[in-house]
Coordinates of all heavy atoms in Angstrom, one line a residue:
M1 N 0.8 -1.2 0.0 CA 0.0 0.0 0.0 C 0.9 1.3 0.0 O 0.6 2.2 -0.7 CB -0.9 -0.1 1.2 CG -1.9 1.1 1.3 SD -3.1 0.9 0.0 CE -4.3 2.0 0.5
R2 N 1.9 1.2 0.8 CA 2.8 2.4 0.9 C 3.5 2.6 -0.4 O 3.7 3.8 -0.8 CB 3.8 2.2 2.0 CG 3.1 2.5 3.3 CD 3.9 2.5 4.5 NE 5.1 2.6 4.9 CZ 5.6 2.2 6.2 NH1 5.0 1.8 7.0 NH2 6.8 2.3 6.6
D3 N 3.9 1.6 -1.1 CA 4.5 1.7 -2.4 C 3.6 2.3 -3.4 O 4.0 3.1 -4.2 CB 5.1 0.3 -2.9 CG 6.3 -0.1 -2.1 OD1 7.0 0.7 -1.5 OD2 6.5 -1.4 -2.0
T4 N 2.3 1.9 -3.3 CA 1.3 2.5 -4.2 C 1.2 4.0 -4.0 O 1.1 4.8 -5.0 CB 0.0 1.8 -4.1 OG1 0.2 0.4 -4.3 CG2 -1.0 2.3 -5.0
N5 N 1.1 4.4 -2.7 CA 1.0 5.8 -2.4 C 2.2 6.6 -2.9 O 2.1 7.7 -3.4 CB 0.8 6.0 -0.9 CG -0.6 5.6 -0.5 OD1 -1.5 5.5 -1.3 ND2 -0.7 5.4 0.8
R6 N 3.4 6.0 -2.7 CA 4.6 6.7 -3.2 C 4.6 6.9 -4.7 O 5.0 7.9 -5.2 CB 5.8 5.9 -2.7 CG 6.2 6.0 -1.3 CD 7.4 5.3 -1.0 NE 7.6 5.3 0.5 CZ 8.3 4.4 1.1 NH1 8.9 3.4 0.5 NH2 8.4 4.4 2.4
L7 N 4.2 5.8 -5.4 CA 4.1 5.9 -6.8 C 3.1 7.0 -7.3 O 3.4 7.7 -8.2 CB 3.8 4.5 -7.4 CG 4.9 3.5 -7.4 CD1 4.4 2.2 -7.9 CD2 6.1 3.9 -8.3
L8 N 2.0 7.0 -6.6 CA 1.0 8.0 -7.0 C 1.5 9.5 -6.7 O 1.3 10.4 -7.5 CB -0.3 7.8 -6.2 CG -1.1 6.6 -6.6 CD1 -2.3 6.4 -5.6 CD2 -1.6 6.8 -8.0
I9 N 2.2 9.6 -5.6 CA 2.8 11.0 -5.3 C 3.9 11.3 -6.4 O 3.9 12.4 -6.9 CB 3.4 11.0 -3.9 CG1 2.2 10.9 -2.9 CG2 4.2 12.2 -3.7 CD1 2.7 10.7 -1.5
L10 N 4.7 10.4 -6.7 CA 5.8 10.6 -7.7 C 5.2 10.9 -9.0 O 5.6 11.8 -9.8 CB 6.7 9.4 -7.8 CG 7.7 9.3 -6.6 CD1 8.4 7.9 -6.8 CD2 8.7 10.4 -6.6
A11 N 4.1 10.2 -9.4 CA 3.5 10.5 -10.7 C 2.8 11.9 -10.7 O 2.9 12.6 -11.7 CB 2.4 9.4 -11.0
A12 N 2.2 12.2 -9.6 CA 1.6 13.6 -9.6 C 2.6 14.7 -9.7 O 2.4 15.7 -10.4 CB 0.8 13.7 -8.3
C13 N 3.8 14.5 -9.0 CA 4.8 15.5 -9.0 C 5.4 15.6 -10.4 O 5.7 16.7 -10.9 CB 5.9 15.1 -8.0 SG 5.4 15.4 -6.3
A14 N 5.6 14.4 -11.1 CA 6.2 14.4 -12.4 C 5.2 15.1 -13.4 O 5.7 15.8 -14.3 CB 6.5 13.0 -12.8
A15 N 3.9 14.9 -13.2 CA 3.0 15.5 -14.1 C 2.9 17.0 -13.9 O 2.7 17.8 -14.8 CB 1.6 14.9 -13.9
A16 N 3.1 17.5 -12.7 CA 3.1 18.9 -12.4 C 4.3 19.7 -12.8 O 4.2 20.9 -13.1 CB 2.9 19.1 -10.9
L17 N 5.5 19.0 -12.9 CA 6.7 19.7 -13.3 C 6.6 20.4 -14.6 O 7.0 21.6 -14.7 CB 7.9 18.7 -13.2 CG 8.6 18.6 -11.9 CD1 9.7 17.5 -11.9 CD2 9.2 19.9 -11.5
P18 N 6.3 19.7 -15.7 CA 6.2 20.4 -17.0 C 5.3 21.6 -17.0 O 5.6 22.6 -17.6 CB 5.8 19.3 -18.0 CG 6.1 18.1 -17.3 CD 6.0 18.3 -15.8
A19 N 4.1 21.5 -16.3 CA 3.2 22.6 -16.3 C 3.8 23.8 -15.5 O 3.6 24.9 -15.9 CB 1.9 22.1 -15.6
A20 N 4.5 23.5 -14.4 CA 5.1 24.6 -13.7 C 6.2 25.3 -14.5 O 6.4 26.5 -14.5 CB 5.7 24.1 -12.4
A21 N 6.9 24.5 -15.3 CA 8.0 25.1 -16.1 C 7.4 26.0 -17.2 O 8.0 27.0 -17.6 CB 8.8 24.0 -16.7
L22 N 6.3 25.6 -17.7 CA 5.6 26.4 -18.8 C 4.9 27.6 -18.3 O 4.6 28.5 -19.0 CB 4.7 25.5 -19.6 CG 5.3 24.4 -20.4 CD1 4.3 23.5 -21.0 CD2 6.3 24.9 -21.4
A23 N 4.6 27.6 -17.0 CA 3.8 28.7 -16.4 C 4.5 30.1 -16.5 O 3.9 31.1 -16.7 CB 3.5 28.4 -15.0
A24 N 5.8 30.1 -16.4 CA 6.6 31.3 -16.4 C 7.7 31.1 -17.4 O 8.8 30.7 -17.1 CB 7.2 31.7 -15.0
P25 N 7.5 31.5 -18.7 CA 8.5 31.3 -19.7 C 9.7 32.2 -19.4 O 9.5 33.3 -18.9 CB 7.8 31.6 -21.0 CG 6.7 32.5 -20.6 CD 6.3 32.0 -19.2
P26 N 10.9 31.7 -19.7 CA 12.1 32.6 -19.5 C 12.0 33.8 -20.3 O 11.5 33.8 -21.4 CB 13.3 31.7 -19.9 CG 12.7 30.6 -20.7 CD 11.2 30.5 -20.3
Q27 N 12.5 34.9 -19.7 CA 12.5 36.2 -20.4 C 13.7 36.2 -21.4 O 14.7 35.7 -21.1 CB 12.6 37.4 -19.5 CG 11.4 37.5 -18.6 CD 11.5 38.8 -17.8 OE1 12.5 39.5 -17.8 NE2 10.4 39.1 -17.1
K28 N 13.4 36.8 -22.6 CA 14.4 36.9 -23.6 C 15.4 38.0 -23.2 O 15.1 39.0 -22.7 CB 13.8 37.4 -24.9 CG 14.4 36.9 -26.1 CD 13.6 37.3 -27.3 CE 14.0 36.5 -28.5 NZ 13.3 36.9 -29.7
A29 N 16.7 37.6 -23.3 CA 17.8 38.6 -22.9 C 17.8 39.7 -23.9 O 17.7 39.5 -25.1 CB 19.1 37.9 -22.9
P30 N 18.0 40.9 -23.4 CA 18.1 42.1 -24.3 C 19.4 42.0 -25.1 O 20.3 41.4 -24.7 CB 18.1 43.3 -23.4 CG 18.6 42.8 -22.1 CD 18.2 41.3 -22.0
K31 N 19.3 42.7 -26.2 CA 20.5 42.8 -27.1 C 21.3 44.0 -26.7 O 20.7 45.0 -26.4 CB 20.2 42.8 -28.5 CG 19.6 41.5 -29.0 CD 19.4 41.5 -30.5 CE 18.8 40.2 -30.9 NZ 18.8 40.0 -32.3
P32 N 22.6 43.9 -26.6 CA 23.4 45.1 -26.3 C 23.3 46.2 -27.3 O 23.2 45.9 -28.5 CB 24.9 44.6 -26.2 CG 24.9 43.3 -27.0 CD 23.5 42.8 -26.9
R33 N 23.1 47.4 -26.8 CA 23.1 48.6 -27.7 C 24.5 49.2 -27.9 O 24.7 49.9 -28.8 CB 22.1 49.6 -27.2 CG 20.7 49.2 -27.3 CD 19.7 50.3 -27.0 NE 18.3 49.8 -27.1 CZ 17.3 50.3 -26.4 NH1 17.5 51.4 -25.7 NH2 16.1 49.8 -26.5
L34 N 25.3 49.0 -26.8 CA 26.7 49.5 -26.8 C 27.6 48.5 -27.4 O 27.4 47.3 -27.1 CB 27.1 49.9 -25.4 CG 26.7 51.2 -24.9 CD1 25.3 51.4 -24.6 CD2 27.5 51.5 -23.6
T35 N 28.6 48.9 -28.1 CA 29.7 48.0 -28.5 C 30.6 47.8 -27.3 O 30.6 48.6 -26.3 CB 30.5 48.6 -29.7 OG1 31.2 49.8 -29.2 CG2 29.6 48.9 -30.8
L36 N 31.5 46.9 -27.4 CA 32.5 46.7 -26.4 C 33.4 47.9 -26.2 O 33.7 48.3 -25.1 CB 33.4 45.4 -26.7 CG 34.5 45.2 -25.8 CD1 34.1 44.8 -24.4 CD2 35.4 44.0 -26.3
A37 N 33.8 48.5 -27.3 CA 34.6 49.7 -27.2 C 33.9 50.9 -26.5 O 34.5 51.6 -25.7 CB 35.1 50.1 -28.6
Q38 N 32.6 51.1 -26.8 CA 31.9 52.1 -26.2 C 31.8 51.9 -24.7 O 32.0 52.8 -23.9 CB 30.5 52.3 -26.8 CG 30.5 52.8 -28.2 CD 29.1 52.6 -28.8 OE1 28.4 51.6 -28.6 NE2 28.7 53.6 -29.6
A39 N 31.5 50.6 -24.3 CA 31.3 50.3 -22.9 C 32.7 50.4 -22.2 O 32.8 50.9 -21.0 CB 30.8 48.9 -22.7
Q40 N 33.8 50.1 -22.8 CA 35.1 50.2 -22.2 C 35.5 51.6 -22.0 O 36.0 52.0 -21.0 CB 36.1 49.5 -23.1 CG 37.5 49.5 -22.5 CD 38.5 48.6 -23.3 OE1 38.2 47.5 -23.6 NE2 39.7 49.1 -23.5
A41 N 35.1 52.5 -22.9 CA 35.4 53.9 -22.7 C 34.6 54.5 -21.5 O 35.2 55.3 -20.7 CB 35.0 54.7 -24.0
I42 N 33.4 54.0 -21.3 CA 32.6 54.5 -20.1 C 33.3 53.9 -18.9 O 33.4 54.6 -17.9 CB 31.2 54.0 -20.3 CG1 30.5 54.7 -21.4 CG2 30.4 54.2 -19.0 CD1 29.1 54.1 -21.9
A43 N 33.7 52.7 -18.9 CA 34.3 52.1 -17.7 C 35.6 52.8 -17.4 O 35.9 53.0 -16.2 CB 34.6 50.6 -18.0
L44 N 36.4 53.1 -18.4 CA 37.7 53.8 -18.1 C 37.5 55.2 -17.6 O 38.3 55.7 -16.9 CB 38.6 53.7 -19.3 CG 39.2 52.3 -19.6 CD1 39.9 52.3 -21.0 CD2 40.2 51.9 -18.5
K45 N 36.4 55.8 -18.0 CA 36.1 57.2 -17.5 C 35.7 57.1 -16.0 O 36.1 57.9 -15.2 CB 35.0 57.8 -18.3 CG 34.7 59.2 -18.0 CD 33.7 59.8 -18.9 CE 33.4 61.3 -18.5 NZ 32.4 61.9 -19.3
A46 N 35.0 56.0 -15.7 CA 34.6 55.8 -14.3 C 35.8 55.4 -13.4 O 35.8 55.7 -12.2 CB 33.5 54.8 -14.2
R47 N 36.7 54.6 -14.0 CA 37.8 54.1 -13.2 C 39.1 54.0 -14.1 O 39.3 53.0 -14.8 CB 37.5 52.7 -12.7 CG 38.6 52.0 -11.9 CD 39.0 52.7 -10.6 NE 37.8 52.6 -9.7 CZ 37.8 53.1 -8.5 NH1 38.9 53.7 -8.0 NH2 36.8 53.1 -7.7
P48 N 39.8 55.1 -14.2 CA 41.0 55.1 -15.1 C 42.0 54.0 -14.7 O 42.2 53.8 -13.5 CB 41.6 56.5 -14.9 CG 40.5 57.3 -14.4 CD 39.6 56.4 -13.6
G49 N 42.6 53.4 -15.7 CA 43.6 52.3 -15.5 C 43.7 51.5 -16.7 O 43.5 52.0 -17.8
K50 N 44.2 50.3 -16.5 CA 44.4 49.4 -17.7 C 43.4 48.2 -17.6 O 43.3 47.5 -16.5 CB 45.8 48.8 -17.6 CG 46.1 47.9 -18.8 CD 47.5 47.3 -18.7 CE 47.7 46.4 -19.9 NZ 48.9 45.6 -19.8
V51 N 42.6 48.0 -18.6 CA 41.7 46.8 -18.7 C 42.5 45.5 -18.8 O 43.3 45.4 -19.7 CB 40.7 47.0 -19.8 CG1 39.8 45.8 -20.0 CG2 39.8 48.2 -19.6
T52 N 42.3 44.6 -17.9 CA 43.0 43.4 -17.9 C 42.1 42.2 -18.3 O 42.6 41.1 -18.7 CB 43.6 43.0 -16.5 OG1 42.6 43.0 -15.5 CG2 44.7 44.1 -16.2
D53 N 40.8 42.4 -18.2 CA 39.8 41.4 -18.6 C 38.5 42.0 -18.8 O 38.2 43.1 -18.3 CB 39.7 40.3 -17.5 CG 39.0 39.0 -18.0 OD1 38.9 38.8 -19.2 OD2 38.6 38.3 -17.1
H54 N 37.7 41.4 -19.7 CA 36.3 41.9 -19.9 C 35.4 40.7 -20.3 O 35.9 39.7 -20.8 CB 36.3 43.0 -21.0 CG 36.8 42.5 -22.3 ND1 36.1 41.8 -23.2 CD2 38.0 42.6 -22.9 CE1 36.8 41.5 -24.3 NE2 38.0 42.0 -24.1
E55 N 34.1 40.9 -20.1 CA 33.1 39.9 -20.6 C 31.8 40.6 -20.7 O 31.5 41.6 -20.0 CB 33.1 38.7 -19.7 CG 32.6 39.0 -18.3 CD 32.6 37.8 -17.4 OE1 32.3 36.7 -17.9 OE2 32.9 37.9 -16.2
L56 N 30.9 40.0 -21.5 CA 29.5 40.4 -21.6 C 28.7 39.3 -20.9 O 28.9 38.1 -21.2 CB 29.1 40.5 -23.1 CG 27.6 40.9 -23.3 CD1 27.3 42.2 -22.8 CD2 27.3 40.8 -24.8
E57 N 27.9 39.7 -19.9 CA 27.2 38.7 -19.1 C 25.8 39.1 -18.8 O 25.5 40.3 -18.7 CB 28.0 38.5 -17.8 CG 28.2 39.7 -17.0 CD 29.2 39.5 -15.8 OE1 29.6 38.3 -15.5 OE2 29.6 40.5 -15.2
A58 N 25.0 38.1 -18.6 CA 23.6 38.4 -18.1 C 23.7 38.4 -16.6 O 24.2 37.4 -16.0 CB 22.7 37.3 -18.6
E59 N 23.2 39.4 -16.0 CA 23.3 39.5 -14.5 C 22.2 40.5 -14.0 O 21.8 41.4 -14.7 CB 24.7 40.1 -14.1 CG 25.0 39.8 -12.7 CD 26.5 40.0 -12.4 OE1 27.4 39.5 -13.1 OE2 26.8 40.8 -11.5
K60 N 21.8 40.2 -12.8 CA 20.7 41.1 -12.2 C 21.2 42.5 -12.1 O 22.3 42.8 -12.0 CB 20.4 40.6 -10.8 CG 19.7 39.3 -10.8 CD 19.4 38.8 -9.4 CE 18.7 37.5 -9.4 NZ 18.5 37.0 -8.0
G61 N 20.2 43.4 -12.2 CA 20.5 44.8 -12.1 C 20.5 45.5 -13.5 O 20.9 44.9 -14.5
G62 N 20.0 46.7 -13.6 CA 19.9 47.4 -14.9 C 19.1 46.6 -15.9 O 18.0 46.1 -15.5
S63 N 19.5 46.6 -17.1 CA 18.8 45.9 -18.1 C 18.9 44.4 -18.1 O 18.2 43.6 -18.7 CB 19.3 46.3 -19.5 OG 20.6 45.8 -19.7
G64 N 19.8 43.9 -17.2 CA 20.1 42.5 -17.1 C 21.2 42.0 -18.0 O 21.6 40.8 -18.0
L65 N 21.8 42.9 -18.7 CA 22.9 42.5 -19.6 C 24.0 43.6 -19.4 O 23.8 44.8 -19.5 CB 22.5 42.5 -21.1 CG 23.5 42.0 -22.1 CD1 23.8 40.5 -21.8 CD2 22.9 42.2 -23.5
R66 N 25.2 43.1 -19.0 CA 26.3 44.1 -18.7 C 27.6 43.7 -19.2 O 27.9 42.5 -19.4 CB 26.4 44.4 -17.2 CG 27.0 43.3 -16.5 CD 27.3 43.6 -15.0 NE 26.1 43.8 -14.3 CZ 26.0 44.3 -13.1 NH1 27.1 44.5 -12.4 NH2 24.9 44.5 -12.5
Y67 N 28.4 44.7 -19.5 CA 29.8 44.4 -19.8 C 30.5 44.6 -18.5 O 30.3 45.5 -17.7 CB 30.4 45.5 -20.8 CG 30.0 45.3 -22.2 CD1 29.0 46.2 -22.7 CD2 30.5 44.4 -23.0 CE1 28.6 46.1 -24.0 CE2 30.1 44.3 -24.4 CZ 29.2 45.1 -24.9 OH 28.8 45.0 -26.1
S68 N 31.4 43.6 -18.2 CA 32.1 43.7 -16.9 C 33.6 43.8 -17.2 O 34.1 43.0 -18.0 CB 31.9 42.4 -16.1 OG 32.5 42.4 -14.9
F69 N 34.3 44.7 -16.6 CA 35.7 45.0 -16.9 C 36.5 44.9 -15.6 O 36.1 45.4 -14.6 CB 35.9 46.4 -17.5 CG 35.2 46.6 -18.8 CD1 34.0 47.2 -18.8 CD2 35.8 46.3 -20.0 CE1 33.3 47.4 -20.0 CE2 35.2 46.5 -21.2 CZ 33.9 47.0 -21.2
D70 N 37.7 44.2 -15.7 CA 38.6 44.3 -14.6 C 39.6 45.3 -15.0 O 40.2 45.2 -16.1 CB 39.3 42.9 -14.4 CG 38.4 41.8 -13.8 OD1 37.4 42.2 -13.3 OD2 38.8 40.7 -13.9
I71 N 39.8 46.3 -14.1 CA 40.7 47.5 -14.4 C 41.7 47.6 -13.4 O 41.4 47.7 -12.2 CB 39.9 48.8 -14.6 CG1 38.8 48.6 -15.7 CG2 40.8 50.0 -14.8 CD1 37.9 49.9 -15.8
K72 N 43.0 47.5 -13.8 CA 44.1 47.5 -12.8 C 44.5 49.0 -12.7 O 44.7 49.7 -13.7 CB 45.3 46.7 -13.3 CG 46.4 46.6 -12.4 CD 47.3 45.4 -12.7 CE 48.4 45.3 -11.7 NZ 48.1 45.1 -10.4
T73 N 44.6 49.4 -11.5 CA 45.1 50.8 -11.1 C 46.2 50.7 -10.1 O 46.6 49.6 -9.7 CB 44.0 51.6 -10.5 OG1 43.7 51.1 -9.2 CG2 42.7 51.6 -11.4
G74 N 46.8 51.8 -9.7 CA 47.8 51.8 -8.7 C 47.3 51.3 -7.4 O 48.1 50.8 -6.6
A75 N 46.0 51.4 -7.1 CA 45.4 51.0 -5.9 C 44.9 49.6 -5.9 O 44.4 49.1 -4.9 CB 44.3 51.9 -5.5
G76 N 45.1 48.8 -7.0 CA 44.6 47.5 -7.1 C 43.8 47.2 -8.3 O 43.8 48.0 -9.3
T77 N 43.0 46.2 -8.3 CA 42.1 45.8 -9.4 C 40.7 46.1 -9.0 O 40.3 45.7 -8.0 CB 42.3 44.4 -9.9 OG1 43.7 44.2 -10.2 CG2 41.5 44.0 -11.1
F78 N 40.0 46.7 -10.0 CA 38.6 47.0 -9.7 C 37.7 46.4 -10.8 O 38.1 46.2 -11.9 CB 38.4 48.5 -9.8 CG 39.0 49.3 -8.6 CD1 40.4 49.5 -8.7 CD2 38.3 49.6 -7.5 CE1 41.0 50.2 -7.6 CE2 38.9 50.3 -6.5 CZ 40.2 50.6 -6.5
E79 N 36.5 46.0 -10.4 CA 35.5 45.5 -11.3 C 34.5 46.6 -11.6 O 33.9 47.2 -10.7 CB 34.7 44.3 -10.8 CG 33.8 43.7 -11.8 CD 33.2 42.4 -11.4 OE1 33.5 41.8 -10.4 OE2 32.2 42.0 -12.1
V80 N 34.4 46.9 -12.9 CA 33.5 48.0 -13.3 C 32.5 47.4 -14.3 O 32.8 46.8 -15.3 CB 34.2 49.2 -14.0 CG1 33.2 50.2 -14.5 CG2 35.3 49.7 -13.1
G81 N 31.2 47.5 -13.9 CA 30.1 46.9 -14.7 C 29.4 48.0 -15.4 O 29.0 49.0 -14.8
V82 N 29.2 47.9 -16.7 CA 28.5 48.9 -17.5 C 27.3 48.2 -18.2 O 27.4 47.2 -18.9 CB 29.4 49.5 -18.6 CG1 28.7 50.5 -19.5 CG2 30.7 50.1 -18.0
D83 N 26.1 48.8 -18.0 CA 24.9 48.3 -18.6 C 25.1 48.3 -20.1 O 25.3 49.3 -20.7 CB 23.7 49.1 -18.2 CG 22.4 48.5 -18.5 OD1 22.1 48.3 -19.8 OD2 21.6 48.1 -17.6
A84 N 24.9 47.1 -20.7 CA 25.1 47.0 -22.2 C 24.0 47.7 -23.0 O 24.2 47.9 -24.2 CB 25.2 45.5 -22.6
V85 N 22.9 48.0 -22.4 CA 21.8 48.7 -23.1 C 21.8 50.2 -22.9 O 21.7 50.9 -23.8 CB 20.4 48.0 -22.7 CG1 19.3 48.7 -23.3 CG2 20.4 46.5 -23.0
T86 N 22.0 50.6 -21.6 CA 21.9 52.0 -21.3 C 23.2 52.8 -21.2 O 23.2 54.0 -21.2 CB 21.1 52.2 -20.0 OG1 21.9 51.7 -18.9 CG2 19.8 51.5 -20.0
G87 N 24.3 52.0 -20.9 CA 25.6 52.7 -20.7 C 25.8 53.2 -19.3 O 26.8 53.8 -19.0
R88 N 24.9 52.9 -18.4 CA 25.0 53.3 -17.0 C 26.0 52.4 -16.3 O 26.1 51.2 -16.5 CB 23.7 53.2 -16.3 CG 23.6 53.9 -15.0 CD 22.2 53.9 -14.5 NE 21.8 52.5 -14.2 CZ 21.3 52.1 -13.0 NH1 21.0 53.0 -12.1 NH2 21.0 50.8 -12.8
V89 N 26.9 53.0 -15.5 CA 27.8 52.3 -14.6 C 27.0 51.7 -13.5 O 26.4 52.3 -12.7 CB 28.9 53.2 -14.1 CG1 29.8 52.4 -13.1 CG2 29.8 53.8 -15.2
L90 N 27.0 50.3 -13.4 CA 26.3 49.6 -12.4 C 27.1 49.2 -11.2 O 26.6 48.9 -10.2 CB 25.6 48.3 -13.1 CG 24.7 48.6 -14.2 CD1 24.3 47.3 -14.9 CD2 23.5 49.4 -13.8
E91 N 28.4 49.1 -11.5 CA 29.3 48.6 -10.4 C 30.7 49.2 -10.6 O 31.1 49.4 -11.8 CB 29.4 47.0 -10.6 CG 30.3 46.4 -9.6 CD 30.2 44.8 -9.8 OE1 30.1 44.4 -10.9 OE2 30.3 44.2 -8.8
N92 N 31.3 49.5 -9.5 CA 32.7 50.1 -9.6 C 33.3 49.8 -8.2 O 33.4 50.7 -7.4 CB 32.6 51.6 -9.9 CG 34.0 52.2 -10.1 OD1 35.0 51.5 -10.0 ND2 34.0 53.4 -10.6
V93 N 33.8 48.6 -8.0 CA 34.2 48.1 -6.7 C 35.6 47.4 -6.8 O 35.9 46.8 -7.9 CB 33.2 47.1 -6.1 CG1 31.9 47.9 -5.8 CG2 33.0 45.9 -6.9
A94 N 36.3 47.4 -5.7 CA 37.6 46.7 -5.6 C 37.4 45.2 -5.7 O 36.4 44.7 -5.1 CB 38.3 47.1 -4.3
E95 N 38.2 44.6 -6.5 CA 38.1 43.1 -6.6 C 38.7 42.5 -5.3 O 39.7 42.9 -4.8 CB 39.0 42.6 -7.8 CG 38.3 42.8 -9.1 CD 37.3 41.7 -9.4 OE1 37.7 40.6 -9.6 OE2 36.1 42.0 -9.4
G96 N 38.0 41.5 -4.8 CA 38.5 40.7 -3.7 C 39.3 39.5 -4.2 O 39.4 39.3 -5.5
P97 N 39.9 38.7 -3.4 CA 40.7 37.6 -3.8 C 39.8 36.5 -4.4 O 38.6 36.4 -4.0 CB 41.3 37.0 -2.5 CG 40.5 37.6 -1.4 CD 39.9 38.9 -1.9
H98 N 40.2 35.9 -5.5 CA 39.5 34.9 -6.2 C 39.9 33.5 -5.8 O 41.1 33.3 -5.7 CB 39.7 35.0 -7.7 CG 39.0 36.2 -8.3 ND1 37.7 36.3 -8.5 CD2 39.6 37.4 -8.7 CE1 37.4 37.5 -9.1 NE2 38.5 38.2 -9.2
P99 N 39.0 32.6 -5.5 CA 39.4 31.2 -5.2 C 40.0 30.6 -6.4 O 39.5 30.8 -7.5 CB 38.1 30.6 -4.7 CG 37.0 31.4 -5.2 CD 37.6 32.8 -5.5
D100 N 41.0 29.7 -6.2 CA 41.6 29.0 -7.3 C 40.9 27.8 -7.8 O 40.1 27.2 -7.1 CB 43.0 28.6 -7.0 CG 43.9 29.9 -6.9 OD1 43.6 30.9 -7.5 OD2 44.9 29.8 -6.1

């Protein structure tokens, strides 16, 4: 009897999963309006230095799409995030140690 109840519960959960997944379709990521060069110019204006790394990433805040730059200065390395749609600086903070 217990095995039958477990099977019924598992079947009900399995049937509910696809419906739950379809209830809130994922939002489409916006397309960047700024080029990498434009975003880098904004980042360097906010934090002068040398860009050592960059990436375009989907992340919370702003439009949801940002260019992220690691900028080395005399005071250390900073992460500067620039909204890829609006050009607004979303982040300008010192980098902490990275785990290996």
